[in-house]
Amino acid sequence: MPSSPHTETHFEASATVRDVVIGMSDGLTVPFALAAGLTGTMTATSKLVVIAGLAEIAAGSIAMGLGGYLAARTDRDHYQSERQREIRETVELPEKETEEVADVFRAYGMAENDLRPVVKAICADQKRWVDFMMRFELGFEEPDPKRARNSAVTIALSYILGGMVPLSSYMLVDSLQTALKVSVVVTLAALFVFGYVKGHLTGITPLRGGLQTVIIGGLASAAAFGLARWIS
Amino acid sequence: MPSSPHTETHFEASATVRDVVIGMSDGLTVPFALAAGLTGTMTATSKLVVIAGLAEIAAGSIAMGLGGYLAARTDRDHYQSERQREIRETVELPEKETEEVADVFRAYGMAENDLRPVVKAICADQKRWVDFMMRFELGFEEPDPKRARNSAVTIALSYILGGMVPLSSYMLVDSLQTALKVSVVVTLAALFVFGYVKGHLTGITPLRGGLQTVIIGGLASAAAFGLARWIS
C-alpha cells in the first residue's frame, strides 16, 4: 500500500468527484423541489412546471458552472499573489523568512543544532525556499491550471443531468398529480443511489450517505411544496 | 508584517466569507434568472413568479445549507479516517512511515546526513509524527468541529438574503413587465456590489470581480428567459 502515489491519485480524482457531487446534488434537489412545489399551487399545469424546471436548470447550471470556474480562477490568482509576496519577502526580509522556516521545525520540537543544517539547505535555493514556505508555512497546494475550465464543465453537466431526472416525469406524464408521484419516487431513488455512491467514494457508510441525500431532497421539496401551497 | 498570525486570521475569516459567497452568489443569480425566465412565458403573472421564486429560494437554501453541512461533516470524517490510517501505519509499518518523513525533506534536496536528526526528532513522538504526516505528506488541515453547523446556517441565510433581492420587485410592482425591468436593474446592481466586495476580499481587482458576477447573473437570466420563451 504505497501511501504517496495513493494520495496523489486520491487528490486528482477527488477534484472531479467533488465537482460532480457539487453539480449533481443541487441538480437533483433544487429542480425536484421547485417542480414539486409548483404542483402545490392551484393554477399549475404540467407544461408550466416543465418550463419553470427547465428555466431553473438553465439558470442553475450556468450559475454553478461559471461560479466553479471563477472559484478555481480565484484560487489560482490567490496562489500566485501569495507566492509573489513570499518571493519578495525572501529578497527583502531574508532573516525573517529564514526564521519562519526554522519555526516550522521548532513546532515539531527539534533542537536548534539539529534544525540549522535543514534550514540552511532549504534557504540555499530561492525556488525551494519559496516552495517550502508556500506548502509548509501557508498550507497552499499549487493549483492545476486546467482546473477552472474542467470544473465549470463538470459542474454544469452534472447539474443538467441531475435536473433532468425529476423533470422527465412531468414531460412524459400528462396528469400533474401522477407526474408528481412518479417524480418523487424516481428522484428519491436517484438521490439514494447518488448518496450511496458518494458515501462510498468519500469514505462514509454508503447507507448513511444515501439516507442523507434523500433527507435533504425530501426536506427541500416539502418546504417548497408547503410554501407554494400556503401562498397560492 | 508578521506572516503567521496574518495567515491564521486570513484562513479563519475565509471560511465564513466563502460560505457567504457560496450562498449569496447562487441566491442572487438563480431566483433572479428563474423569475426573469418565467416572465418570458405567455401565461405568467406576478403572483406565479413570486410563488415559483419563493419555492426556489426555500428549496435552494435548504439544499445548499444542508449540502454545506454534509460537506463539512464529510471533511471531518475523512480527516479522522485518514488520521486513524496514519496512526495504524506508524505502529504497523514504522520503517516505511519513517522513510516517508525523510522523503518529504529529500524533495527539498536535503543531504541524508542533514535530514536524519530531523526525521529522528519528528518520529520520536507518535502524535508529532502523525501530525507531520497529516499536514506535510497528505496536506490536510484539521477541520474546526463547529464548522458544519455554522457553514449550513451561513450558506442558507446568504441564499435567502440574495434571493429576496430579485424577488422583491415582483412582490411590490403589479405590472409583470415593469417588475422584470426593476428586478433586472436592482439585481444587476446588487450583483455588481457583491462581486466588487468579493473581489476586494479575495484579492482580485474589485472592478473585475463586479463585472464577473454581473456577467454570470446576466448570462444565467438570459438563458432562462430565452429557454422559457422558446418552449412556451
Side-chain angles (χ1 to χ4, degrees), chain A residues 1 3-4 7 10 30 33 56 59 73 78 89 105 108 110 118 128 135-138 208, chain B residues 1 4 7 10 30 33 56 59 73 78 89 100 105 108 110 118 128 135-138 208:
Chain A
M1 195 167 52
S3 194
S4 290
T7 309
H10 175 83
V30 183
E56 208 287 335
R73 277 284 298 271
H78 189 51
E89 288 185 1
F105 294 109
Y108 285 86
M110 279 179 57
V118 187
R128 195 187 289 164
R135 174 123 187 249
F136 293 159
E137 195 213 14
L138 301 174
R208 198 176 125 201
Chain B
M1 193 166 52
S4 290
T7 310
H10 175 83
V30 183
E56 208 287 335
R73 278 284 297 272
H78 189 50
E89 288 185 1
E100 286 181 6
F105 294 111
Y108 286 87
M110 278 179 58
V118 187
R128 193 187 291 164
R135 173 122 190 250
F136 294 155
E137 195 212 14
L138 301 174
R208 198 176 124 199

mmCIF file of all heavy atoms in Angstrom, chain A residues 1 3-4 7 10 30 33 56 59 73 78 89 105 108 110 118 128 135-138 208, chain B residues 1 4 7 10 30 33 56 59 73 78 89 100 105 108 110 118 128 135-138 208:
data_model
loop_
_atom_site.group_PDB
_atom_site.id
_atom_site.type_symbol
_atom_site.label_atom_id
_atom_site.label_comp_id
_atom_site.label_asym_id
_atom_site.label_seq_id
_atom_site.Cartn_x
_atom_site.Cartn_y
_atom_site.Cartn_z
ATOM 1 N N MET A 1 0.845 -1.205 0.000
ATOM 2 C CA MET A 1 0.000 0.000 0.000
ATOM 3 C C MET A 1 0.882 1.258 0.000
ATOM 4 O O MET A 1 1.107 1.864 1.034
ATOM 5 C CB MET A 1 -0.868 -0.030 1.258
ATOM 6 C CG MET A 1 -2.028 0.925 1.235
ATOM 7 S SD MET A 1 -3.227 0.602 2.549
ATOM 8 C CE MET A 1 -2.224 0.572 4.018
ATOM 9 N N SER A 3 1.823 4.837 0.069
ATOM 10 C CA SER A 3 0.957 5.913 0.526
ATOM 11 C C SER A 3 0.977 7.139 -0.386
ATOM 12 O O SER A 3 -0.056 7.712 -0.679
ATOM 13 C CB SER A 3 1.326 6.308 1.950
ATOM 14 O OG SER A 3 0.310 7.096 2.487
ATOM 15 N N SER A 4 2.161 7.533 -0.858
ATOM 16 C CA SER A 4 2.235 8.759 -1.662
ATOM 17 C C SER A 4 1.481 8.665 -2.986
ATOM 18 O O SER A 4 0.625 9.495 -3.245
ATOM 19 C CB SER A 4 3.681 9.179 -1.885
ATOM 20 O OG SER A 4 4.222 9.634 -0.675
ATOM 21 N N THR A 7 -2.140 8.711 -2.433
ATOM 22 C CA THR A 7 -2.645 10.038 -2.101
ATOM 23 C C THR A 7 -2.789 10.908 -3.341
ATOM 24 O O THR A 7 -3.787 11.588 -3.530
ATOM 25 C CB THR A 7 -1.700 10.723 -1.103
ATOM 26 O OG1 THR A 7 -1.477 9.812 -0.041
ATOM 27 C CG2 THR A 7 -2.316 11.989 -0.568
ATOM 28 N N HIS A 10 -5.739 9.900 -5.212
ATOM 29 C CA HIS A 10 -6.879 10.303 -4.418
ATOM 30 C C HIS A 10 -7.225 11.770 -4.639
ATOM 31 O O HIS A 10 -8.377 12.130 -4.852
ATOM 32 C CB HIS A 10 -6.559 10.045 -2.948
ATOM 33 C CG HIS A 10 -7.614 10.536 -2.031
ATOM 34 N ND1 HIS A 10 -8.735 9.812 -1.750
ATOM 35 C CD2 HIS A 10 -7.742 11.704 -1.377
ATOM 36 C CE1 HIS A 10 -9.495 10.503 -0.955
ATOM 37 N NE2 HIS A 10 -8.922 11.658 -0.695
ATOM 38 N N VAL A 30 -32.772 20.828 -6.316
ATOM 39 C CA VAL A 30 -33.493 22.095 -6.484
ATOM 40 C C VAL A 30 -34.587 22.023 -7.558
ATOM 41 O O VAL A 30 -35.740 22.382 -7.285
ATOM 42 C CB VAL A 30 -32.521 23.281 -6.678
ATOM 43 C CG1 VAL A 30 -33.286 24.589 -6.774
ATOM 44 C CG2 VAL A 30 -31.526 23.342 -5.518
ATOM 45 N N ALA A 33 -37.406 19.966 -6.118
ATOM 46 C CA ALA A 33 -38.183 20.677 -5.110
ATOM 47 C C ALA A 33 -39.038 21.778 -5.737
ATOM 48 O O ALA A 33 -40.193 21.974 -5.357
ATOM 49 C CB ALA A 33 -37.243 21.271 -4.064
ATOM 50 N N GLU A 56 -35.047 26.818 -14.552
ATOM 51 C CA GLU A 56 -34.205 26.674 -13.359
ATOM 52 C C GLU A 56 -32.919 25.909 -13.677
ATOM 53 O O GLU A 56 -31.838 26.288 -13.208
ATOM 54 C CB GLU A 56 -35.000 25.944 -12.264
ATOM 55 C CG GLU A 56 -34.591 26.293 -10.844
ATOM 56 C CD GLU A 56 -33.263 25.694 -10.442
ATOM 57 O OE1 GLU A 56 -32.841 24.658 -10.999
ATOM 58 O OE2 GLU A 56 -32.621 26.280 -9.550
ATOM 59 N N ALA A 59 -30.610 28.206 -15.590
ATOM 60 C CA ALA A 59 -30.034 29.218 -14.693
ATOM 61 C C ALA A 59 -29.048 28.588 -13.717
ATOM 62 O O ALA A 59 -27.936 29.085 -13.530
ATOM 63 C CB ALA A 59 -31.159 29.922 -13.931
ATOM 64 N N ARG A 73 -10.374 29.941 -10.679
ATOM 65 C CA ARG A 73 -9.524 31.044 -11.120
ATOM 66 C C ARG A 73 -9.044 31.880 -9.929
ATOM 67 O O ARG A 73 -7.879 32.292 -9.865
ATOM 68 C CB ARG A 73 -10.306 31.959 -12.093
ATOM 69 C CG ARG A 73 -10.325 31.466 -13.509
ATOM 70 C CD ARG A 73 -8.984 31.712 -14.196
ATOM 71 N NE ARG A 73 -8.684 33.123 -14.273
ATOM 72 C CZ ARG A 73 -9.059 33.912 -15.274
ATOM 73 N NH1 ARG A 73 -9.689 33.411 -16.296
ATOM 74 N NH2 ARG A 73 -8.761 35.197 -15.268
ATOM 75 N N HIS A 78 -5.000 33.759 -6.254
ATOM 76 C CA HIS A 78 -4.625 33.916 -4.851
ATOM 77 C C HIS A 78 -3.285 33.224 -4.584
ATOM 78 O O HIS A 78 -2.404 33.787 -3.923
ATOM 79 C CB HIS A 78 -5.731 33.312 -3.988
ATOM 80 C CG HIS A 78 -5.572 33.588 -2.534
ATOM 81 N ND1 HIS A 78 -5.361 34.854 -2.030
ATOM 82 C CD2 HIS A 78 -5.592 32.767 -1.460
ATOM 83 C CE1 HIS A 78 -5.248 34.790 -0.723
ATOM 84 N NE2 HIS A 78 -5.386 33.537 -0.345
ATOM 85 N N GLU A 89 9.494 38.645 -0.030
ATOM 86 C CA GLU A 89 9.985 38.608 1.354
ATOM 87 C C GLU A 89 11.327 37.899 1.488
ATOM 88 O O GLU A 89 12.132 38.282 2.332
ATOM 89 C CB GLU A 89 8.931 37.975 2.280
ATOM 90 C CG GLU A 89 7.741 38.905 2.491
ATOM 91 C CD GLU A 89 6.717 38.391 3.485
ATOM 92 O OE1 GLU A 89 6.906 37.295 4.050
ATOM 93 O OE2 GLU A 89 5.710 39.096 3.698
ATOM 94 N N PHE A 105 10.055 23.906 11.899
ATOM 95 C CA PHE A 105 10.693 22.740 12.518
ATOM 96 C C PHE A 105 10.653 22.813 14.040
ATOM 97 O O PHE A 105 10.529 21.798 14.715
ATOM 98 C CB PHE A 105 12.129 22.592 12.017
ATOM 99 C CG PHE A 105 12.184 22.278 10.557
ATOM 100 C CD1 PHE A 105 12.624 23.222 9.644
ATOM 101 C CD2 PHE A 105 11.740 21.053 10.087
ATOM 102 C CE1 PHE A 105 12.636 22.941 8.292
ATOM 103 C CE2 PHE A 105 11.755 20.756 8.736
ATOM 104 C CZ PHE A 105 12.201 21.707 7.837
ATOM 105 N N TYR A 108 7.901 21.222 15.692
ATOM 106 C CA TYR A 108 7.984 19.769 15.850
ATOM 107 C C TYR A 108 8.995 19.383 16.919
ATOM 108 O O TYR A 108 9.436 18.237 16.994
ATOM 109 C CB TYR A 108 8.294 19.102 14.510
ATOM 110 C CG TYR A 108 7.071 19.119 13.656
ATOM 111 C CD1 TYR A 108 6.776 20.226 12.873
ATOM 112 C CD2 TYR A 108 6.148 18.083 13.707
ATOM 113 C CE1 TYR A 108 5.616 20.290 12.140
ATOM 114 C CE2 TYR A 108 4.998 18.134 12.980
ATOM 115 C CZ TYR A 108 4.723 19.231 12.201
ATOM 116 O OH TYR A 108 3.569 19.285 11.490
ATOM 117 N N MET A 110 12.144 20.219 17.384
ATOM 118 C CA MET A 110 13.538 19.950 17.036
ATOM 119 C C MET A 110 14.490 20.897 17.739
ATOM 120 O O MET A 110 14.201 22.079 17.908
ATOM 121 C CB MET A 110 13.731 20.075 15.527
ATOM 122 C CG MET A 110 13.293 18.831 14.796
ATOM 123 S SD MET A 110 13.515 19.055 13.043
ATOM 124 C CE MET A 110 15.266 19.435 13.001
ATOM 125 N N VAL A 118 19.213 21.892 8.218
ATOM 126 C CA VAL A 118 17.987 21.746 7.427
ATOM 127 C C VAL A 118 17.573 23.093 6.855
ATOM 128 O O VAL A 118 17.307 23.236 5.652
ATOM 129 C CB VAL A 118 16.821 21.238 8.316
ATOM 130 C CG1 VAL A 118 15.613 20.922 7.464
ATOM 131 C CG2 VAL A 118 17.232 20.050 9.139
ATOM 132 N N ARG A 128 13.248 26.591 -3.979
ATOM 133 C CA ARG A 128 12.991 25.601 -2.947
ATOM 134 C C ARG A 128 12.464 26.274 -1.670
ATOM 135 O O ARG A 128 11.529 25.809 -1.032
ATOM 136 C CB ARG A 128 14.308 24.882 -2.654
ATOM 137 C CG ARG A 128 14.175 23.604 -1.886
ATOM 138 C CD ARG A 128 15.553 23.098 -1.513
ATOM 139 N NE ARG A 128 16.301 22.596 -2.664
ATOM 140 C CZ ARG A 128 17.631 22.389 -2.655
ATOM 141 N NH1 ARG A 128 18.352 22.662 -1.586
ATOM 142 N NH2 ARG A 128 18.222 21.904 -3.716
ATOM 143 N N ARG A 135 4.033 25.709 0.896
ATOM 144 C CA ARG A 135 3.387 24.456 1.271
ATOM 145 C C ARG A 135 3.327 24.280 2.785
ATOM 146 O O ARG A 135 2.272 23.936 3.324
ATOM 147 C CB ARG A 135 4.159 23.298 0.616
ATOM 148 C CG ARG A 135 3.674 21.955 1.039
ATOM 149 C CD ARG A 135 3.240 21.101 -0.111
ATOM 150 N NE ARG A 135 2.628 19.891 0.423
ATOM 151 C CZ ARG A 135 3.154 18.695 0.338
ATOM 152 N NH1 ARG A 135 4.288 18.506 -0.312
ATOM 153 N NH2 ARG A 135 2.551 17.652 0.878
ATOM 154 N N PHE A 136 4.456 24.531 3.476
ATOM 155 C CA PHE A 136 4.525 24.152 4.888
ATOM 156 C C PHE A 136 4.166 25.276 5.836
ATOM 157 O O PHE A 136 3.632 25.034 6.910
ATOM 158 C CB PHE A 136 5.921 23.601 5.221
ATOM 159 C CG PHE A 136 6.202 22.300 4.528
ATOM 160 C CD1 PHE A 136 7.485 21.864 4.337
ATOM 161 C CD2 PHE A 136 5.160 21.514 4.064
ATOM 162 C CE1 PHE A 136 7.737 20.656 3.697
ATOM 163 C CE2 PHE A 136 5.402 20.314 3.421
ATOM 164 C CZ PHE A 136 6.697 19.888 3.236
ATOM 165 N N GLU A 137 4.460 26.533 5.453
ATOM 166 C CA GLU A 137 4.044 27.603 6.358
ATOM 167 C C GLU A 137 2.600 27.996 6.062
ATOM 168 O O GLU A 137 1.785 28.148 6.961
ATOM 169 C CB GLU A 137 4.960 28.823 6.236
ATOM 170 C CG GLU A 137 4.754 29.781 7.414
ATOM 171 C CD GLU A 137 4.951 31.241 7.046
ATOM 172 O OE1 GLU A 137 4.986 31.593 5.853
ATOM 173 O OE2 GLU A 137 5.046 32.043 7.971
ATOM 174 N N LEU A 138 2.270 28.157 4.780
ATOM 175 C CA LEU A 138 0.953 28.688 4.424
ATOM 176 C C LEU A 138 -0.054 27.610 4.041
ATOM 177 O O LEU A 138 -1.245 27.879 3.943
ATOM 178 C CB LEU A 138 1.096 29.698 3.275
ATOM 179 C CG LEU A 138 2.003 30.899 3.571
ATOM 180 C CD1 LEU A 138 2.188 31.751 2.327
ATOM 181 C CD2 LEU A 138 1.434 31.737 4.711
ATOM 182 N N ARG A 208 -25.664 5.400 5.021
ATOM 183 C CA ARG A 208 -25.844 6.710 5.645
ATOM 184 C C ARG A 208 -25.800 7.813 4.588
ATOM 185 O O ARG A 208 -26.609 8.748 4.606
ATOM 186 C CB ARG A 208 -24.724 6.920 6.680
ATOM 187 C CG ARG A 208 -25.036 8.014 7.667
ATOM 188 C CD ARG A 208 -23.932 8.110 8.722
ATOM 189 N NE ARG A 208 -23.401 9.443 8.795
ATOM 190 C CZ ARG A 208 -22.213 9.764 9.297
ATOM 191 N NH1 ARG A 208 -21.408 8.810 9.759
ATOM 192 N NH2 ARG A 208 -21.809 11.004 9.335
ATOM 193 N N MET B 1 5.033 43.220 9.493
ATOM 194 C CA MET B 1 4.061 42.345 8.808
ATOM 195 C C MET B 1 4.311 40.889 9.224
ATOM 196 O O MET B 1 4.946 40.137 8.485
ATOM 197 C CB MET B 1 4.256 42.529 7.300
ATOM 198 C CG MET B 1 3.156 41.963 6.464
ATOM 199 S SD MET B 1 3.213 42.546 4.752
ATOM 200 C CE MET B 1 4.890 42.196 4.250
ATOM 201 N N SER B 4 2.757 34.645 9.985
ATOM 202 C CA SER B 4 1.938 33.551 10.501
ATOM 203 C C SER B 4 0.587 34.000 11.068
ATOM 204 O O SER B 4 -0.441 33.477 10.668
ATOM 205 C CB SER B 4 2.706 32.748 11.543
ATOM 206 O OG SER B 4 3.723 32.035 10.890
ATOM 207 N N THR B 7 -1.756 34.968 8.379
ATOM 208 C CA THR B 7 -2.301 33.818 7.667
ATOM 209 C C THR B 7 -3.430 33.161 8.464
ATOM 210 O O THR B 7 -4.470 32.828 7.914
ATOM 211 C CB THR B 7 -1.193 32.787 7.407
ATOM 212 O OG1 THR B 7 -0.099 33.473 6.823
ATOM 213 C CG2 THR B 7 -1.680 31.695 6.497
ATOM 214 N N HIS B 10 -6.468 35.185 8.188
ATOM 215 C CA HIS B 10 -6.920 35.048 6.822
ATOM 216 C C HIS B 10 -7.743 33.768 6.632
ATOM 217 O O HIS B 10 -8.821 33.798 6.047
ATOM 218 C CB HIS B 10 -5.702 35.047 5.910
ATOM 219 C CG HIS B 10 -6.058 34.801 4.495
ATOM 220 N ND1 HIS B 10 -6.486 35.784 3.656
ATOM 221 C CD2 HIS B 10 -6.095 33.647 3.783
ATOM 222 C CE1 HIS B 10 -6.764 35.268 2.484
ATOM 223 N NE2 HIS B 10 -6.525 33.978 2.520
ATOM 224 N N VAL B 30 -29.787 32.528 -9.207
ATOM 225 C CA VAL B 30 -30.762 31.544 -9.688
ATOM 226 C C VAL B 30 -32.220 32.022 -9.548
ATOM 227 O O VAL B 30 -32.964 31.969 -10.534
ATOM 228 C CB VAL B 30 -30.523 30.155 -9.035
ATOM 229 C CG1 VAL B 30 -31.492 29.126 -9.596
ATOM 230 C CG2 VAL B 30 -29.094 29.685 -9.294
ATOM 231 N N ALA B 33 -32.730 34.621 -12.229
ATOM 232 C CA ALA B 33 -32.833 34.060 -13.572
ATOM 233 C C ALA B 33 -34.157 33.316 -13.754
ATOM 234 O O ALA B 33 -34.790 33.408 -14.806
ATOM 235 C CB ALA B 33 -31.655 33.116 -13.830
ATOM 236 N N GLU B 56 -38.367 28.312 -5.030
ATOM 237 C CA GLU B 56 -36.963 28.088 -5.401
ATOM 238 C C GLU B 56 -36.040 28.490 -4.255
ATOM 239 O O GLU B 56 -35.069 27.787 -3.949
ATOM 240 C CB GLU B 56 -36.623 28.877 -6.669
ATOM 241 C CG GLU B 56 -35.529 28.274 -7.518
ATOM 242 C CD GLU B 56 -34.141 28.429 -6.918
ATOM 243 O OE1 GLU B 56 -33.901 29.363 -6.108
ATOM 244 O OE2 GLU B 56 -33.276 27.610 -7.243
ATOM 245 N N ALA B 59 -36.246 25.846 -1.546
ATOM 246 C CA ALA B 59 -35.536 24.630 -1.972
ATOM 247 C C ALA B 59 -34.027 24.859 -2.021
ATOM 248 O O ALA B 59 -33.243 24.063 -1.499
ATOM 249 C CB ALA B 59 -36.046 24.189 -3.345
ATOM 250 N N ARG B 73 -19.108 17.988 7.395
ATOM 251 C CA ARG B 73 -19.083 16.744 8.152
ATOM 252 C C ARG B 73 -18.214 15.684 7.463
ATOM 253 O O ARG B 73 -17.440 14.971 8.104
ATOM 254 C CB ARG B 73 -20.518 16.183 8.296
ATOM 255 C CG ARG B 73 -21.314 16.814 9.409
ATOM 256 C CD ARG B 73 -20.863 16.287 10.773
ATOM 257 N NE ARG B 73 -21.089 14.860 10.888
ATOM 258 C CZ ARG B 73 -22.216 14.310 11.319
ATOM 259 N NH1 ARG B 73 -23.210 15.068 11.711
ATOM 260 N NH2 ARG B 73 -22.334 13.008 11.378
ATOM 261 N N HIS B 78 -13.504 12.391 6.950
ATOM 262 C CA HIS B 78 -12.404 11.999 6.088
ATOM 263 C C HIS B 78 -11.069 12.264 6.788
ATOM 264 O O HIS B 78 -10.164 11.418 6.775
ATOM 265 C CB HIS B 78 -12.494 12.796 4.786
ATOM 266 C CG HIS B 78 -11.546 12.345 3.735
ATOM 267 N ND1 HIS B 78 -11.413 11.040 3.359
ATOM 268 C CD2 HIS B 78 -10.666 13.037 2.977
ATOM 269 C CE1 HIS B 78 -10.496 10.946 2.419
ATOM 270 N NE2 HIS B 78 -10.023 12.140 2.175
ATOM 271 N N GLU B 89 -0.439 3.004 10.614
ATOM 272 C CA GLU B 89 0.783 2.760 9.846
ATOM 273 C C GLU B 89 2.055 3.038 10.651
ATOM 274 O O GLU B 89 3.059 2.375 10.434
ATOM 275 C CB GLU B 89 0.767 3.574 8.546
ATOM 276 C CG GLU B 89 -0.239 2.990 7.556
ATOM 277 C CD GLU B 89 -0.218 3.671 6.194
ATOM 278 O OE1 GLU B 89 0.588 4.597 6.002
ATOM 279 O OE2 GLU B 89 -1.005 3.264 5.329
ATOM 280 N N GLU B 100 8.896 7.859 4.754
ATOM 281 C CA GLU B 100 8.011 8.859 4.146
ATOM 282 C C GLU B 100 8.273 10.251 4.712
ATOM 283 O O GLU B 100 8.168 11.249 3.995
ATOM 284 C CB GLU B 100 6.539 8.459 4.320
ATOM 285 C CG GLU B 100 6.168 7.303 3.393
ATOM 286 C CD GLU B 100 4.713 6.865 3.502
ATOM 287 O OE1 GLU B 100 3.939 7.521 4.221
ATOM 288 O OE2 GLU B 100 4.373 5.848 2.874
ATOM 289 N N PHE B 105 11.566 15.644 3.157
ATOM 290 C CA PHE B 105 12.748 16.511 3.184
ATOM 291 C C PHE B 105 13.653 16.281 1.980
ATOM 292 O O PHE B 105 14.276 17.216 1.489
ATOM 293 C CB PHE B 105 13.520 16.309 4.489
ATOM 294 C CG PHE B 105 12.728 16.769 5.681
ATOM 295 C CD1 PHE B 105 12.233 15.859 6.595
ATOM 296 C CD2 PHE B 105 12.457 18.118 5.858
ATOM 297 C CE1 PHE B 105 11.486 16.287 7.674
ATOM 298 C CE2 PHE B 105 11.710 18.551 6.941
ATOM 299 C CZ PHE B 105 11.217 17.631 7.857
ATOM 300 N N TYR B 108 13.167 18.410 -0.869
ATOM 301 C CA TYR B 108 13.753 19.748 -0.792
ATOM 302 C C TYR B 108 15.265 19.714 -0.962
ATOM 303 O O TYR B 108 15.948 20.672 -0.628
ATOM 304 C CB TYR B 108 13.338 20.436 0.513
ATOM 305 C CG TYR B 108 11.906 20.855 0.411
ATOM 306 C CD1 TYR B 108 10.886 19.978 0.742
ATOM 307 C CD2 TYR B 108 11.572 22.093 -0.121
ATOM 308 C CE1 TYR B 108 9.575 20.333 0.565
ATOM 309 C CE2 TYR B 108 10.258 22.457 -0.302
ATOM 310 C CZ TYR B 108 9.259 21.575 0.041
ATOM 311 O OH TYR B 108 7.954 21.915 -0.153
ATOM 312 N N MET B 110 17.598 17.960 0.534
ATOM 313 C CA MET B 110 18.455 17.867 1.715
ATOM 314 C C MET B 110 19.324 16.618 1.686
ATOM 315 O O MET B 110 18.881 15.555 1.249
ATOM 316 C CB MET B 110 17.606 17.852 2.976
ATOM 317 C CG MET B 110 17.181 19.244 3.405
ATOM 318 S SD MET B 110 16.176 19.128 4.875
ATOM 319 C CE MET B 110 17.307 18.292 5.979
ATOM 320 N N VAL B 118 16.551 15.348 11.894
ATOM 321 C CA VAL B 118 15.207 15.923 11.770
ATOM 322 C C VAL B 118 14.173 14.809 11.831
ATOM 323 O O VAL B 118 13.205 14.867 12.587
ATOM 324 C CB VAL B 118 15.040 16.633 10.405
ATOM 325 C CG1 VAL B 118 13.732 17.372 10.356
ATOM 326 C CG2 VAL B 118 16.217 17.531 10.122
ATOM 327 N N ARG B 128 3.290 13.845 17.249
ATOM 328 C CA ARG B 128 4.019 14.761 16.377
ATOM 329 C C ARG B 128 4.229 14.141 14.993
ATOM 330 O O ARG B 128 4.073 14.789 13.964
ATOM 331 C CB ARG B 128 5.371 15.031 17.047
ATOM 332 C CG ARG B 128 6.128 16.178 16.466
ATOM 333 C CD ARG B 128 7.504 16.237 17.094
ATOM 334 N NE ARG B 128 7.487 16.630 18.491
ATOM 335 C CZ ARG B 128 8.533 16.460 19.323
ATOM 336 N NH1 ARG B 128 9.642 15.861 18.900
ATOM 337 N NH2 ARG B 128 8.454 16.856 20.569
ATOM 338 N N ARG B 135 -0.200 16.799 7.870
ATOM 339 C CA ARG B 135 -0.092 18.136 7.297
ATOM 340 C C ARG B 135 0.852 18.169 6.093
ATOM 341 O O ARG B 135 0.533 18.750 5.062
ATOM 342 C CB ARG B 135 0.395 19.091 8.396
ATOM 343 C CG ARG B 135 0.715 20.467 7.905
ATOM 344 C CD ARG B 135 -0.078 21.549 8.591
ATOM 345 N NE ARG B 135 0.114 22.801 7.891
ATOM 346 C CZ ARG B 135 0.801 23.826 8.374
ATOM 347 N NH1 ARG B 135 1.287 23.765 9.588
ATOM 348 N NH2 ARG B 135 0.951 24.923 7.660
ATOM 349 N N PHE B 136 2.048 17.546 6.238
ATOM 350 C CA PHE B 136 3.069 17.759 5.219
ATOM 351 C C PHE B 136 3.091 16.700 4.141
ATOM 352 O O PHE B 136 3.448 16.970 3.006
ATOM 353 C CB PHE B 136 4.442 17.878 5.875
ATOM 354 C CG PHE B 136 4.569 19.110 6.722
ATOM 355 C CD1 PHE B 136 5.469 19.170 7.766
ATOM 356 C CD2 PHE B 136 3.764 20.213 6.477
ATOM 357 C CE1 PHE B 136 5.581 20.313 8.549
ATOM 358 C CE2 PHE B 136 3.859 21.355 7.252
ATOM 359 C CZ PHE B 136 4.775 21.403 8.285
ATOM 360 N N GLU B 137 2.720 15.448 4.484
ATOM 361 C CA GLU B 137 2.678 14.461 3.404
ATOM 362 C C GLU B 137 1.330 14.516 2.697
ATOM 363 O O GLU B 137 1.242 14.486 1.486
ATOM 364 C CB GLU B 137 2.929 13.036 3.929
ATOM 365 C CG GLU B 137 3.243 12.069 2.794
ATOM 366 C CD GLU B 137 2.758 10.651 3.048
ATOM 367 O OE1 GLU B 137 1.947 10.430 3.980
ATOM 368 O OE2 GLU B 137 3.170 9.767 2.321
ATOM 369 N N LEU B 138 0.239 14.574 3.482
ATOM 370 C CA LEU B 138 -1.101 14.476 2.907
ATOM 371 C C LEU B 138 -1.772 15.827 2.671
ATOM 372 O O LEU B 138 -2.778 15.911 1.983
ATOM 373 C CB LEU B 138 -1.988 13.594 3.796
ATOM 374 C CG LEU B 138 -1.476 12.156 3.989
ATOM 375 C CD1 LEU B 138 -2.338 11.415 4.997
ATOM 376 C CD2 LEU B 138 -1.453 11.405 2.669
ATOM 377 N N ARG B 208 -13.111 44.057 -11.679
ATOM 378 C CA ARG B 208 -13.205 42.796 -12.420
ATOM 379 C C ARG B 208 -14.155 41.844 -11.701
ATOM 380 O O ARG B 208 -14.983 41.191 -12.338
ATOM 381 C CB ARG B 208 -11.807 42.164 -12.511
ATOM 382 C CG ARG B 208 -11.699 41.118 -13.582
ATOM 383 C CD ARG B 208 -10.267 40.610 -13.694
ATOM 384 N NE ARG B 208 -10.214 39.169 -13.536
ATOM 385 C CZ ARG B 208 -9.118 38.488 -13.223
ATOM 386 N NH1 ARG B 208 -7.976 39.119 -12.995
ATOM 387 N NH2 ARG B 208 -9.156 37.182 -13.105
#
